[in-house]
Amino acid sequence: MQPSPEQSPHHVYPDHWEADVVLRDGGTARIRPITTDDAERLVSFYEQVSDESKYYRFFAPYPRLSDRDVHRFTHHDYVDRVGLAVTVGGEFIATVRYDRIDERGRPASAPADEAEVAFLVQDAHQGRGVASALLEHIAAVARERGIRRFAAEVLPANNKMIKVFRDAGYTQQRSFEDGSVHLTLDLEPTAESLAVQRGREQRAEARSVQRLLAPGSVAVIGAGRTPGGVGRTVLRNLLGAGFTGRTYAVNRAFAADQGTIDGVPAHRSIGEIDEPVDLAVVAVPADRVPEAVADCGEHGVQGLVVLSAGYAEWGAEGRERQRELVRQARSYGMRIIGPNAFGVINNAEAVRLNASLAPEPPAPGRIGLFTQSGAIGIALLSGLYRRGAGLSTFISAGNRADISGNDFLQYWYEDPDTDVALLYLESLGNPRKFTRLARRTAAVKPVVVVKGARHSGSTPPGHAVPVSRIPDATVSALMRQAGVIRVDTVTEMVDAGLLLAGQPLPAGPRVAILGNSESLGLLTYDACLAEGLRPHPPRDLTTAATPQDFRDALAEALADKGCDSVVVTAIPWVGENGEAEPGDGEVLATALHAAAAAGPAKPVAVVHVEIGGLAEALAAATSTVALPRPSTEPSAAATPSRAGAAPTTTTGHDPAHIPSAPGTGRGTATAATGAGIDDGAGTATTGAGTDGGPGIRIGRIPAYPAAERAVRALAEAVRYAQWRRQAAVPGKVPEFLDDTIDEPGAADLIDALLGPDPDPRGRPLAHDEARELLGRYGITVRPTLPAADPEAAVAAAAQLGYPVALKTTAPHLRHRADLGGVRLDLANEGALRRAYGELTDLLGKPAELQPVVQAMAPRGVDTVVRAAIDPAAGAVLSFGLAGAPSELLGDTAHRLVPATDRDAAELIRSIRAAPVLFGWRGAAPVDTAALEELLLRVSRLVDDHPEVVSIALEPVVVATQGLTVLGASVRLSPPPARTDLGPRRLPNY
């Protein structure tokens, strides 16, 4: 909405303050600035407010607004006087206003930094979290306009408003003056206010998903009059699943006396239905969808599943049609799955919802599945169905114009019916939020992701997302940092999901292998080594082994304290006549189930070759055993490694003996399922394979047709379990950094370097500018002196002291010692002059080469440290060895900023060339502690100052004692927009 010409000419309408938000009950509303055109809306809104609420707002009876009031409340300058409104269906349901004041409480302008704030919420919408959302947004507006504090006067009886202020998490002061409570809020965000905001976001978005997955009634709009078609198929599936709520068929083409379709009431519009409708499944052509959405919105429908195609996947016209669909639905407070969706399934016994086109509905289970592709969704449902796996919920979001994978992570985080979350994603609309939500969810249950369209260089049709500049390998590394199990194919996703949903997490990487085929056992052993596991030598039971032999061997392996998991390999028994024995699969499954139920809780996987009925029999859960409490004493095989000792990470046998990062030892070797690990948070949650009680369901042993698939799934479980143990004690930023960092000085320097009117493209810093900025964060860059001619080079060397290095700084030769652009260890003037002559004779004139002289650094390992702001992923910290390892082989590790001490330690240990840093081939280990500190300082600089969009320190020479930064480049730019900070808002694609 744009202002009329009467609006202040000095401050244009701030459309970036407009936002769609999810309220506490899961409905949506729109927050926007109030304009002069809102007079009638304001009057209508006020008439619907109770006398009590009016009294609380004005401290006196105030039955109606005067013309002067209306003018004052609708005319703002958007700086010193600001009003925001919350709208649903275009009508006001709440307002908030601030007026800047001076220290005496009188109207003021900048630089006064305090404002008086007041709220008013319609009684019918109180309790929905409207005021809390408004406070977040008006506080962000105030900070943008230079206001640092809010003052509010509240009557003592107005407990709801006092609670809104009290629970916001801001630093505040309260006093009682003249019969009212005087509140002062410091608007600077705090850790508590951010936690409050994100907690509300989680509950609201989870509730919005729950309204779609557990409706009390469903209407299928577009159910045809004859069998067949999309709408009629969904209606048939709803009835076939035994949906526990009310079902309606809607089609404007129905005759007035239609009565019923497939036994359910038939209506020509939602408005004809006498009872409330919670969910509408829209299956009509795209040009008729707006009419259907309006019908739903005007009659209180809470959410939509739009199966209709013809939107963003059809080009520019379809994209605009999709945006309008979202705007229209949100204006009525509805959320959308789709358009171009395949549907949703909720197998909860109390719901039994199948509002999808799935030809083979999955059985109830503990896996939640989200996919952006209908075709992939069909394939996944079919694969899970064939392997006997069950689902708690299934969502195929299509173009995911509104509801996305992030929303379902919010829902699954606390969903007691889901133990494992599987997501097929083709794009990430809000990558920073995804990483944050995935990290939190992965701390209590596994999150397995397949990322499609990784290398296409384009966004899938219908998906509008930020374009990332980082390679897919980096995206994978960042996901793993957040605890996400990233796999390459949907087959691997199903393989991992089956293991995680049906088996406890392994306590470590030690694997026992047993079976009746020596060859299959050796293949499994090799696969374990390839995945970084620590397999025991395979135990061959011989081809004469009976199911009882398998049971005894599995029981013995599970009882072995040196074993963390077991892989059983099996081939068919062959009788004397050369034919396979019938019924062997069921008998073997029974034996394996019995052994697993009786032994300690450890994961078991089966690799079989053509044993009929085995996979199906293994997929049946048979018993439950008690979940052991985590041991307080570490097992002998899971002791955290000492600094400088052999590694105890899941990389298995490591001839380079890279010491583990501090705090990353395996700790206690207690098996647990999904969320059953004691994470130190004070709550014990059930996890993968649990039935909600205090035990682990033993059963649903996953079966695989190939050793590689079983071992890969097991390896993912091992790595995830290790991440869970580490996440229970998060890393931190060492306090000693604060004493050597000048954050205000750096901020002032950045402001001066960017200037009052910065170029939006940014600017690179000169060498001395970069040195000064880095120095504010305790990062010393060895100085260089220009050498425009041999005499200048000799003078520079005399100033710096021999030995020196002579190198070019021309962009095409920088860091290219292989091209002769760097000459080292020049011990005297003669050597320097000869090197200068050779350099210019070989590569060109000094003006082209831009040579410099630099004092030699102590010998060590050349490394490179980088940090950059990626539009999609956020701030990323990177590390590698300089030269060929990182540039040619791509051996670079990445972590999200801000990095903790644990992140820094893991960063330098996770590259393949890490042994070079730890004494490879008898060399002295370098000072990795100094390197970790440098990484933390770079991380702090980028995190504290978003204007620093890239840093490259190259080379960083790490010696046995200390390190030297020889080169640095820094780029500044106006800070990019952050979609993960600020007040809650729904994305607009």
Side-chain angles (χ1 to χ4, degrees):
M1 171 169 291
Q2 298 299 322
S4 72
E6 297 179 41
Q7 208 73 39
S8 170
H10 303 293
H11 304 287
V12 298
Y13 178 82
D15 55 7
H16 64 288
W17 293 351
E18 295 182 354
D20 293 316
V21 297
V22 183
L23 302 177
R24 181 182 300 156
D25 62 359
T28 65
R30 186 162 186 80
I31 295 177
R32 64 168 178 82
I34 297 174
T35 76
T36 56
D37 295 331
D38 289 321
E40 292 185 8
R41 293 185 184 88
L42 181 65
V43 172
S44 174
F45 155 73
Y46 194 76
E47 289 174 348
Q48 298 177 60
V49 175
S50 70
D51 291 340
E52 181 183 48
S53 294
K54 293 173 182 176
Y55 186 88
Y56 285 154
R57 169 64 176 85
F58 293 103
F59 292 19
Y62 215 89
R64 64 185 59 84
L65 295 175
S66 67
D67 291 343
R68 182 178 178 182
D69 292 329
V70 173
H71 183 275
R72 184 163 64 96
F73 293 148
T74 56
H75 286 68
H76 306 94
D77 63 7
Y78 301 131
V79 177
D80 300 325
R81 303 182 312 281
V82 172
L84 300 180
V86 182
T87 67
V88 173
E91 299 300 321
F92 285 8
I93 66 168
T95 62
V96 65
R97 172 186 172 88
Y98 81 64
D99 292 270
R100 195 189 299 260
I101 57 175
D102 61 17
E103 64 277 3
R104 297 183 180 181
R106 298 176 303 187
S109 298
D113 61 357
E114 186 170 334
E116 189 174 39
V117 66
F119 295 78
L120 186 59
V121 181
Q122 268 184 11
D123 297 68
H125 295 278
Q126 292 177 10
R128 300 184 65 200
V130 176
S132 299
L134 263 182
L135 178 56
E136 290 179 20
H137 283 262
I138 196 68
V141 168
R143 287 194 297 268
E144 181 182 327
R145 296 311 195 199
I147 293 173
R148 297 291 173 259
R149 291 180 305 281
F150 273 163
E153 300 290 337
V154 186
L155 288 174
N158 193 355
N159 294 317
K160 292 180 180 178
M161 200 65 240
I162 293 175
K163 188 175 188 300
V164 168
F165 288 120
R166 185 184 67 231
D167 294 348
Y170 295 114
T171 302
Q172 57 184 271
Q173 296 177 342
R174 282 192 290 175
S175 61
F176 188 77
E177 302 174 8
D178 299 328
S180 66
V181 179
H182 180 79
L183 294 162
T184 302
L185 278 73
D186 186 340
L187 300 183
E188 185 65 26
T190 65
E192 183 181 356
S193 68
L194 185 59
V196 168
Q197 176 180 314
R198 289 179 172 174
R200 289 170 173 165
E201 173 194 65
Q202 187 274 325
R203 291 187 292 273
E205 292 180 358
R207 175 60 180 152
S208 72
V209 171
Q210 184 183 33
R211 298 198 330 172
L212 293 164
L213 290 178
S217 55
V218 177
V220 181
I221 303 176
R225 291 170 291 180
T226 58
V230 172
R232 195 66 176 269
T233 299
V234 173
L235 182 62
R236 182 192 65 214
N237 291 344
L238 272 168
L239 299 175
F243 176 55
T244 58
R246 302 180 304 278
T247 306
Y248 305 96
V250 176
N251 192 327
R252 67 180 184 180
F254 287 159
D257 57 351
Q258 180 72 49
T260 63
I261 288 287
D262 289 341
V264 305
H267 300 274
R268 289 181 293 183
S269 69
I270 295 291
E272 290 184 1
I273 302 173
D274 295 332
E275 298 174 298
V277 175
D278 296 330
L279 175 68
V281 181
V282 181
V284 299
D287 59 352
R288 288 176 48 200
V289 169
E291 175 189 347
V293 173
D295 187 24
C296 292
E298 290 166 4
H299 294 91
V301 175
Q302 296 182 349
L304 306 172
V305 177
V306 181
L307 308 183
S308 311
Y311 288 89
E313 77 278 8
W314 282 18
E317 182 180 349
R319 278 193 296 273
E320 184 54 40
R321 185 183 299 121
Q322 181 167 297
R323 293 190 185 102
E324 182 55 38
L325 168 64
V326 174
R327 285 193 291 264
Q328 184 186 16
R330 288 180 179 174
S331 73
Y332 289 110
M334 298 184 293
R335 299 208 69 184
I336 298 175
I337 292 178
N340 196 27
F342 188 70
V344 297
I345 296 174
N346 182 0
N347 277 326
E349 182 60 27
V351 182
R352 298 201 299 270
L353 172 73
N354 181 6
S356 78
L357 300 171
E360 296 178 328
R366 310 292 301 176
I367 297 174
L369 176 60
F370 175 90
T371 172
Q372 289 180 354
S373 164
I376 295 296
I378 294 172
L380 285 168
L381 288 175
S382 179
L384 290 166
Y385 180 85
R386 289 195 306 271
R387 298 179 69 173
L391 294 180
S392 60
T393 46
F394 165 77
I395 309 93
S396 174
N399 294 359
R400 67 113 181 86
D402 180 25
I403 293 278
S404 70
N406 285 347
D407 295 285
F408 280 92
L409 284 177
Q410 300 276 40
Y411 173 76
W412 284 327
Y413 172 65
E414 291 184 335
D415 178 28
D417 295 329
T418 300
D419 293 331
V420 181
L422 307 183
L423 298 97
Y424 171 78
L425 305 174
E426 293 180 345
S427 60
L428 296 175
N430 190 337
R432 298 188 199 211
K433 183 176 179 180
F434 172 81
T435 302
R436 169 168 58 86
L437 299 185
R439 183 193 295 271
R440 185 189 60 190
T441 305
V444 296
K445 59 187 67 173
V447 177
V448 188
V449 171
V450 173
K451 178 69 169 60
R454 293 178 294 164
H455 306 296
S456 64
S458 62
T459 301
H463 296 204
V465 297
V467 178
S468 176
R469 292 190 293 260
I470 59 179
D472 181 70
T474 305
V475 175
S476 182
L478 299 180
M479 282 190 178
R480 289 191 180 277
Q481 181 191 0
V484 173
I485 300 172
R486 169 79 184 272
V487 294
D488 293 330
T489 67
V490 293
T491 300
E492 291 177 1
M493 181 167 69
V494 172
D495 287 345
L498 291 176
L499 180 70
L500 292 163
Q503 295 294 301
L505 289 177
R510 302 163 299 179
V511 183
I513 303 169
L514 61 92
N516 63 353
S517 168
E518 181 181 12
S519 298
L520 195 53
L522 291 174
L523 287 173
T524 305
Y525 182 86
D526 291 343
C528 287
L529 292 177
E531 290 291 338
L533 302 178
R534 296 178 180 171
H536 295 185
R539 179 178 177 182
D540 183 15
L541 304 179
T542 76
T543 55
T546 65
Q548 184 62 42
D549 294 330
F550 272 89
R551 175 176 178 173
D552 295 341
L554 177 56
E556 183 178 341
L558 292 172
D560 181 3
K561 293 184 178 180
C563 161
D564 301 314
S565 56
V566 183
V567 177
V568 178
T569 63
I571 61 173
W573 286 267
V574 179
E576 295 180 359
N577 59 359
E579 296 182 1
E581 304 255 349
D584 288 340
E586 291 81 355
V587 176
L588 178 57
T590 300
L592 297 178
H593 274 305
K602 298 178 182 180
V604 178
V606 173
V607 179
H608 70 101
V609 178
E610 298 299 332
I611 299 183
L614 177 61
E616 294 79 3
L618 288 172
T622 58
S623 65
T624 303
V625 298
L627 173 66
R629 294 294 300 169
S631 171
T632 58
E633 296 294 334
S635 73
T639 303
S641 58
R642 303 181 307 276
T648 60
T649 61
T650 59
T651 50
H653 60 295
D654 187 350
H657 294 282
I658 304 172
S660 296
T664 60
R666 290 196 302 276
T668 57
T670 303
T673 66
I677 292 178
D678 185 356
D679 59 8
T683 59
T685 52
T686 59
T690 66
D691 60 1
I696 302 172
R697 179 183 295 122
I698 297 298
R700 299 194 183 279
I701 299 174
Y704 303 89
E708 295 78 12
R709 289 174 55 180
V711 170
R712 190 174 297 117
L714 180 59
E716 294 292 359
V718 169
R719 287 187 281 267
Y720 169 69
Q722 183 188 24
W723 180 89
R724 280 278 295 277
R725 287 186 287 271
Q726 295 171 9
V729 184
K732 59 184 179 180
V733 177
E735 295 181 359
F736 71 84
L737 292 180
D738 296 333
D739 300 331
T740 56
I741 288 177
D742 180 11
E743 182 179 345
D748 292 341
L749 178 59
I750 289 170
D751 288 342
L753 292 171
L754 282 175
D757 188 22
D759 186 337
R761 297 171 298 179
R763 55 157 294 200
L765 298 189
H767 176 73
D768 291 340
E769 294 172 335
R771 284 189 66 221
E772 182 180 2
L773 177 59
L774 293 168
R776 301 294 173 95
Y777 272 70
I779 302 170
T780 302
V781 181
R782 181 154 292 207
T784 61
L785 296 177
D789 54 46
E791 300 306 322
V794 171
Q799 180 178 342
L800 296 171
Y802 290 99
V804 298
L806 176 68
K807 51 188 181 181
T808 68
T809 58
H812 65 289
L813 294 172
R814 186 172 296 165
H815 310 307
R816 293 300 305 275
D818 55 319
L819 297 181
V822 180
R823 304 301 172 93
L824 304 175
D825 286 319
L826 304 176
N828 51 52
E829 179 180 339
L832 177 57
R833 289 183 180 277
R834 285 193 300 274
Y836 199 99
E838 293 170 357
L839 201 67
T840 53
D841 291 343
L842 176 65
L843 299 175
K845 297 178 181 180
E848 300 171 355
L849 303 181
Q850 305 170 34
V852 296
V853 175
Q854 190 174 51
M856 285 295 298
R859 293 289 185 180
V861 178
D862 288 1
T863 64
V864 57
V865 174
R866 293 189 177 94
I869 306 294
D870 182 80
V876 179
L877 181 67
S878 305
F879 170 76
L881 298 192
S886 58
E887 295 178 15
L888 179 63
L889 303 178
D891 186 16
T892 306
H894 311 274
R895 291 294 186 273
L896 289 173
V897 169
T900 66
D901 53 356
R902 176 176 292 163
D903 292 327
E906 292 176 350
L907 195 60
I908 64 176
R909 288 163 173 82
S910 57
I911 59 173
R912 297 191 299 276
V916 175
L917 302 170
F918 294 94
W920 184 54
R921 288 189 172 181
V926 302
D927 191 349
T928 53
L931 187 55
E932 291 169 16
E933 180 180 329
L934 175 65
L935 289 165
L936 290 171
R937 292 183 183 278
V938 172
S939 171
R940 276 286 301 272
L941 174 57
V942 174
D943 190 45
D944 291 344
H945 306 283
E947 300 90 347
V948 182
V949 294
S950 71
I951 295 177
L953 306 182
E954 182 180 7
V956 177
V957 182
V958 190
T960 55
Q961 294 291 329
L963 55 77
T964 307
V965 180
L966 296 182
S969 61
V970 179
R971 186 174 186 86
L972 301 182
S973 177
R978 291 289 298 269
T979 57
D980 59 328
L981 297 178
R984 291 171 283 160
R985 64 173 61 217
L986 289 171
N988 291 314
Y989 299 120

